[in-house]
Amino acid sequence: MSKNRSLSTNFKNEKMKNIFYFIAIILGFLISGCDDELTIFPEDSLSVPTFFKTEEDFTQAINGTYVPLRGINNQSKPFLAEMHSDNTYFARNTAFGATDNQEDIADHSIPSDGGITANTHVNNVYVGYYEVIARANQILATIDDAEFDETAKANVKGQALFLRAYSYFDLAQLFGSVPMHLEPVVDREGAALPLASEDELYAQIIEDTQAAIPLLPLKSEQQPGRVTSGAAQTLLGNVYIVRQQWPEAETVLKAVVASNEYALMPNYEDAFSGNSDNKNNIESVFEIQYREGAEGLNGSFLYNFLPRPISAEEVGAITGTSNPQPVNGEGNNIPTPDIIEAYEDGDLREEASIMYITASESFWEDGIYPIIKKYVEPHALHGNHGMNWPVYRYAEVLLFLAEALEEQGKNGEALPYLTEVRTRAGLGAPTGDLGEAIFNERRVELAFENKRWFDLVRTGRAIDVITAHGNKIKANPVDYYYPAGVEPRGNVFTNISERYALPASESSLNPNF
């Protein structure tokens, strides 16, 4: 595999691959009931037996496996992982009306019945991750029989194992029990698997990630944007922390530090991707790749995070585009007073993470809102930007390691890793309980990176924190972007749960839901 072939360039072929996957699935259904002598594939047609042969075939296939991650992180996952926490909330636009799917997530009032829900964003994330899993499974089912360079083969296989493990990890954290597909689905019966327990899911996630680590190259030897051995080690460390396997987490995370492949960027704001530069920098362990332009590889999540309504001129002042457009609807992922108060005096990360803008047409007070600054980068065209989305940064590796050590009573070893993160932020040594200091540090260091809800759940704080958060909103709605005189809906914070209900659209296909 040529190391000069960039991941984003290879994504140009994704439309062809999407067509291939559709054809392959249809062919799978058609041949499932045929006699052996009839299962003959024309050599010039697209099918599993004729496509998965060469290094180029598998390169295209693994590129396609990353693709759904862009859609997941471009819109729905930030709602489920940040706006479902106390870090962000929605900005109500009383002239537009309700957008129940987003509001229900922010208000912990998602309607559900029998463990299923019709919420659009829940469905988007669930389906998106199973698209990744299906594509990874097709690679893993066929790659061992293919004949091409063993090093390149190991690299592709390691990426597929990582992507399957990462997808199941998020599914387990969001939903708890979900079906576990480890083979390509070729018929309706195979699509309707029973729900696997969390223990079963985590056992497979750990197995896949452990298998991926030795197959993947170091960051310095891998094509930019592809997962690496360090990314797999970080994922495994994260899994061990969720499972409270502290010694195992310590071991694997120390390996990431010892690799010398990563370091903190000198300035916090430089840890995040620009629109076209600073991508996959030395602090980046894994990030979702976007590219501005007409190829369909761009993101638009910055626009989802703006308060509404906002004029074209005001949008242009934020984005620098040549064709700014007014934006209406509901604003999402607006930083709450709670997260703003969480920054200590002198913390450089606050100014790098949050900025204030004017939406003069809004109905809330004077229209001056905080917005997420991390993803504000100038770009050319409205709704089309190329900033990457951070999944794992080296700062989180250090905080994970500090947590794993502190949980084992190794406070003296934990403190330097925490201090390294705080020093860059312009802060001194932490005070008070070290475990609480690490937890609070994660909130401000990783704010708006889809971490907060998962942290609340895994530490057993979600119900208490969100209940208190909801009480503050109900008591002082104007502080949380409600126009004066507008009250929260009657069902707000009435369905607080650590897990999301499963998507109703899938229940019609799987009787086990």
Side-chain angles (χ1 to χ4, degrees):
M1 183 186 304
S2 171
K3 292 185 178 180
N4 295 322
R5 184 188 302 130
S6 71
L7 180 59
S8 59
T9 300
N10 282 332
F11 278 157
K12 291 180 179 180
N13 297 318
E14 68 191 60
K15 287 186 178 179
M16 184 203 77
K17 294 191 299 293
N18 287 340
I19 294 171
F20 155 69
Y21 284 113
F22 176 76
I23 293 173
I25 290 170
I26 295 301
L27 285 173
F29 277 99
L30 290 176
I31 67 170
S32 61
C34 296
D35 294 332
D36 290 343
E37 63 268 23
L38 298 180
T39 57
I40 299 171
F41 296 88
E43 292 296 326
D44 59 351
S45 71
L46 280 176
S47 65
V48 171
T50 61
F51 180 81
F52 285 95
K53 294 289 189 182
T54 69
E55 179 178 339
E56 178 64 23
D57 295 340
F58 282 95
T59 298
Q60 292 184 23
I62 196 62
N63 287 345
T65 308
Y66 286 88
V67 169
L69 297 178
R70 283 208 304 272
I72 290 168
N73 288 275
N74 193 52
Q75 185 178 53
S76 293
K77 186 177 176 182
F79 300 158
L80 269 60
E82 283 288 337
M83 205 165 69
H84 203 56
S85 78
D86 53 346
N87 271 4
T88 65
Y89 199 55
F90 66 88
R92 180 175 290 279
N93 175 1
T94 52
F96 184 79
T99 50
D100 289 344
N101 283 289
Q102 290 95 294
E103 291 181 27
D104 286 343
I105 291 170
D107 288 339
H108 290 259
S109 57
I110 302 174
S112 61
D113 182 23
I116 62 172
T117 179
N119 187 277
T120 297
H121 299 294
V122 170
N123 181 77
N124 289 347
V125 169
Y126 182 97
V127 171
Y129 277 129
Y130 273 106
E131 288 178 354
V132 175
I133 291 164
R135 297 177 185 192
N137 283 343
Q138 192 64 69
I139 292 170
L140 295 170
T142 53
I143 194 167
D144 288 341
D145 293 331
E147 296 181 2
F148 62 95
D149 179 77
E150 290 300 321
T151 300
K153 182 187 292 188
N155 193 349
V156 171
K157 186 174 182 179
Q159 292 175 71
L161 286 165
F162 174 97
L163 292 170
R164 184 170 75 178
Y166 173 71
S167 299
Y168 274 126
F169 184 42
D170 263 12
L171 288 168
Q173 291 182 98
L174 290 167
F175 300 101
S177 297
V178 296
M180 185 165 63
H181 293 271
L182 302 177
E183 300 288 342
V185 176
V186 297
D187 54 33
R188 190 177 183 87
E189 181 179 339
L193 295 184
L195 301 182
S197 69
E198 288 191 51
D199 286 343
E200 291 171 327
L201 289 167
Y202 278 112
Q204 186 63 47
I205 292 164
I206 291 170
E207 179 180 330
D208 280 355
T209 312
Q210 288 176 332
I213 291 169
L215 298 175
L216 290 165
L218 296 168
K219 179 176 180 176
S220 57
E221 300 170 356
Q222 180 67 296
Q223 292 175 269
R226 297 187 184 276
V227 294
T228 64
S229 57
Q233 288 167 323
T234 301
L235 171 61
L236 184 57
N238 192 356
V239 173
Y240 283 144
I241 281 176
V242 169
R243 302 293 281 174
Q244 299 185 357
Q245 297 177 234
W246 308 115
E248 292 88 346
E250 175 189 350
T251 298
V252 72
L253 293 164
K254 279 186 172 178
V256 180
V257 174
S259 72
N260 294 317
E261 292 282 313
Y262 307 95
L264 297 181
M265 296 289 283
N267 299 314
Y268 179 75
E269 61 185 354
D270 293 334
F272 305 97
S273 160
N275 188 52
S276 59
D277 59 3
N278 200 38
K279 297 185 175 187
N280 308 300
N281 58 55
I282 195 169
E283 185 167 338
S284 171
V285 178
F286 179 48
E287 57 192 55
I288 308 302
Q289 309 293 304
Y290 295 90
R291 189 170 68 192
E292 180 182 15
E295 299 166 293
L297 311 177
N298 62 283
S300 59
F301 47 83
L302 165 61
Y303 294 84
N304 297 333
F305 303 162
L306 296 178
R308 322 290 178 92
I310 184 169
S311 70
E313 181 180 7
E314 290 161 347
V315 170
I318 298 166
T319 63
T321 57
S322 60
N323 66 331
Q325 306 293 318
V327 180
N328 211 328
E330 295 278 6
N332 303 291
N333 259 24
I334 308 301
T336 62
D338 310 60
I339 181 61
I340 294 170
E341 292 172 3
Y343 291 95
E344 299 173 42
D345 291 341
D347 192 331
L348 302 175
R349 292 170 296 197
E350 180 176 0
E351 185 176 351
S353 301
I354 298 171
M355 64 183 289
Y356 292 83
I357 60 98
T358 298
S360 59
E361 298 175 357
S362 86
F363 298 90
W364 180 67
E365 295 195 320
D366 55 6
I368 299 176
Y369 289 86
I371 67 167
I372 300 171
K373 185 181 179 183
K374 286 183 176 182
Y375 309 121
V376 173
E377 291 287 341
H379 48 281
L381 298 176
H382 180 85
N384 186 318
H385 57 63
M387 294 83 76
N388 286 355
W389 186 277
V391 174
Y392 287 122
R393 295 189 287 113
Y394 185 60
E396 187 169 19
V397 173
L398 297 175
L399 293 176
F400 274 151
L401 185 50
E403 183 177 352
L405 290 164
E406 189 277 335
E407 288 286 350
Q408 298 175 79
K410 301 178 181 180
N411 288 15
E413 291 185 57
L415 187 58
Y417 296 112
L418 174 59
T419 300
E420 185 175 351
V421 175
R422 289 177 59 83
T423 298
R424 180 177 65 173
L427 302 173
T431 59
D433 180 78
L434 184 59
E436 284 300 304
I438 294 168
F439 180 77
N440 293 333
E441 198 70 28
R442 283 186 59 83
R443 185 179 190 184
V444 291
E445 173 67 32
L446 306 170
F448 321 126
E449 297 176 40
N450 293 346
K451 306 292 181 176
R452 179 63 174 173
W453 174 246
F454 292 145
D455 280 353
L456 291 174
V457 171
R458 72 178 177 83
T459 58
R461 308 173 194 233
I463 304 300
D464 289 344
V465 168
I466 297 303
T467 298
H469 175 62
N471 288 338
K472 287 193 288 185
I473 291 174
K474 288 183 284 188
N476 298 289
V478 72
D479 290 347
Y480 292 85
Y481 317 117
Y482 282 79
V486 176
E487 296 295 325
R489 299 174 299 166
N491 64 338
V492 299
F493 299 96
T494 58
N495 191 15
I496 303 173
S497 172
E498 291 186 345
R499 305 296 186 204
Y500 287 94
L502 293 165
S505 62
E506 296 296 307
S507 67
S508 62
L509 304 173
N510 191 337
N512 298 296
F513 277 30

